[in-house]
Amino acid sequence: MKTNIIFNKVRNLAKAVLPFYLLALLPLATGCSHFLNEQVPQATLTQDEVKSPEYIDNLLISAYAGLVTIEDMNASFSLWNYDTRSDDAYVGGSDFSDGEPFHRLEKSVGVMTTDWPFSSIWTRFYNYLSRVNLSLDVLASADQNNNTIIQRTAEMKFLRAYGHFQLKRLFKKIPFVNKPNMTEDDYNNLSNTEYSNDEGWQQIINDLEDAYAVLPVTQVEKGRPTKAACAAFLAKVYLYKAYHQDDANSNQVTSISDADLQKVVEYTNTSLTSVLRSSTRMVRRVSGLSSTLRTMVPYMVT
C-alpha cells in the first residue's frame, strides 16, 4: 500500500514538471537547424604560427601518435604477422578462415594485393608518412639555426625512414613520400618505380644518416629516437642493401656489396657501444644507490 502511494506521487510530480522541461527545450529544438550556419570562425591556424619552437611539438605529436593510433593489431607496424613469409608459422584463430590471407602468404600461393592484411598495412603506413612529411615541411620553413628545430627535424627523418623501411621490406617496390611541399596531385601521381631497388634503400639511408648526425646519445623524453636507435636501423638497412637484387625478372641476389657490409659492422658496433655505455651508467647508479641504502640501514633498524 505504501509503495503504491509513493509511486502515484512520483507519477503526478512527473506529469506536473514535464511540460516545463519541454517548454525550456523548445528554443533549442527550433534553433538547432541554424546553429552551425551561424557560427563564425574566430581564428585560423597557420604554419607560421605552429613552426615556432615553443609550439612545434603540438604539430609533431600527430606524427608520433600515428605509430600507435594508425596501426592495427592485424596490420601492425611491427610486422609481427607478416614474417610467415620466412620461417614463422600462422596457426590461425577460431577456424581456418580467421586470418586466412596469412595462411596463403605462408604458402606463397594466391596472395592478392586486395587482401585486407596487405591493402590495410599499405594504406596505414602512407597515412602515417603523410603526417611525417607535413611535419618536415613545417620544420623546413622554421628557423634552421634553432636547436629544437634541428633536433625535431632529425626525429622526423628517423620516423620517415622507419615507415619507408617497413614498407620496402614488405613490398620492395614502393612510392617514396620524400619530396617537400607535396600536393594532393603529387601524392596521386607517385610511382613505385622512381628508384631502382638499390636506390630505394639509399633513400632510406639518406634520412637515417641525416638523423644520425644530429640525434643525441640519450633523450630526456623517453620515446624519442636516439643515436643508438638510428645506428641500429642503419645497420639493418645496409644489410638489406648489401644483397643486390638488380634482375627484375628473377628477384634473385645478383651481387653482394662488401662496402655495405662494412657499414653494417660499423653501425652495429656504434649501436652496441652506445647501449653498453648506457647500461654501465645505469649499473653505476644502481651501485651507488645500493651503497647509500647500506649506510642508511643501521639508522632505519630499530
Side-chain angles (χ1 to χ4, degrees), residues 94 108 113 221 245 248:
S94 59
S108 298
T113 57
E221 296 177 313
Q245 295 173 297

Side-chain angles (χ1 to χ4, degrees), residues 3-35:
T3 303
N4 291 335
I5 294 173
I6 294 174
F7 175 78
N8 290 331
K9 287 184 177 180
V10 172
R11 183 178 60 182
N12 294 334
L13 179 63
K15 287 182 179 180
V17 173
L18 183 60
F20 294 100
Y21 276 114
L22 293 176
L23 185 62
L25 291 173
L26 187 60
L28 296 177
T30 57
C32 64
S33 60
H34 304 292
F35 174 74

Side-chain angles (χ1 to χ4, degrees), residues 66 69-72 75-77 82 113-131 163 167 170-171 174-175 177 187:
T69 60
I70 293 180
E71 72 153 12
D72 177 74
S76 172
F77 285 5
Y82 296 89
T113 57
T114 52
D115 286 338
W116 62 263
F118 317 121
S119 62
S120 179
I121 193 71
W122 176 278
T123 302
R124 290 172 187 275
F125 260 122
Y126 280 107
N127 286 341
Y128 159 76
L129 283 169
S130 69
R131 294 187 185 187
L167 279 167
L170 274 180
F171 300 103
I174 64 167
V177 184
Y187 278 103

Side-chain angles (χ1 to χ4, degrees), residues 146-159:
N146 183 275
N147 288 333
T148 298
I149 299 300
I150 295 171
Q151 166 80 16
R152 298 298 183 259
T153 300
E155 292 174 18
M156 291 300 105
K157 286 191 174 184
F158 177 90
L159 294 188

Side-chain angles (χ1 to χ4, degrees), residues 128-129 132-133 136 155-165 177-180 204 207:
Y128 159 76
L129 283 169
V132 176
N133 224 42
L136 282 166
E155 292 174 18
M156 291 300 105
K157 286 191 174 184
F158 177 90
L159 294 188
R160 184 167 68 180
Y162 167 77
H164 284 135
F165 176 60
V177 184
N178 57 0
K179 305 293 190 302
I204 300 171
D207 271 346

Side-chain angles (χ1 to χ4, degrees), residues 234-271:
L234 275 165
K236 293 180 72 172
V237 180
Y238 268 114
L239 188 58
Y240 275 90
K241 181 176 179 290
Y243 292 83
H244 295 170
Q245 295 173 297
D246 300 323
D247 187 346
N249 296 319
S250 68
N251 292 316
Q252 299 297 310
V253 174
T254 55
S255 61
I256 301 174
S257 170
D258 290 338
D260 286 343
L261 289 178
Q262 185 56 45
K263 286 288 188 180
V264 175
V265 175
E266 175 186 332
Y267 282 113
T268 300
N269 288 337
T270 300
S271 182

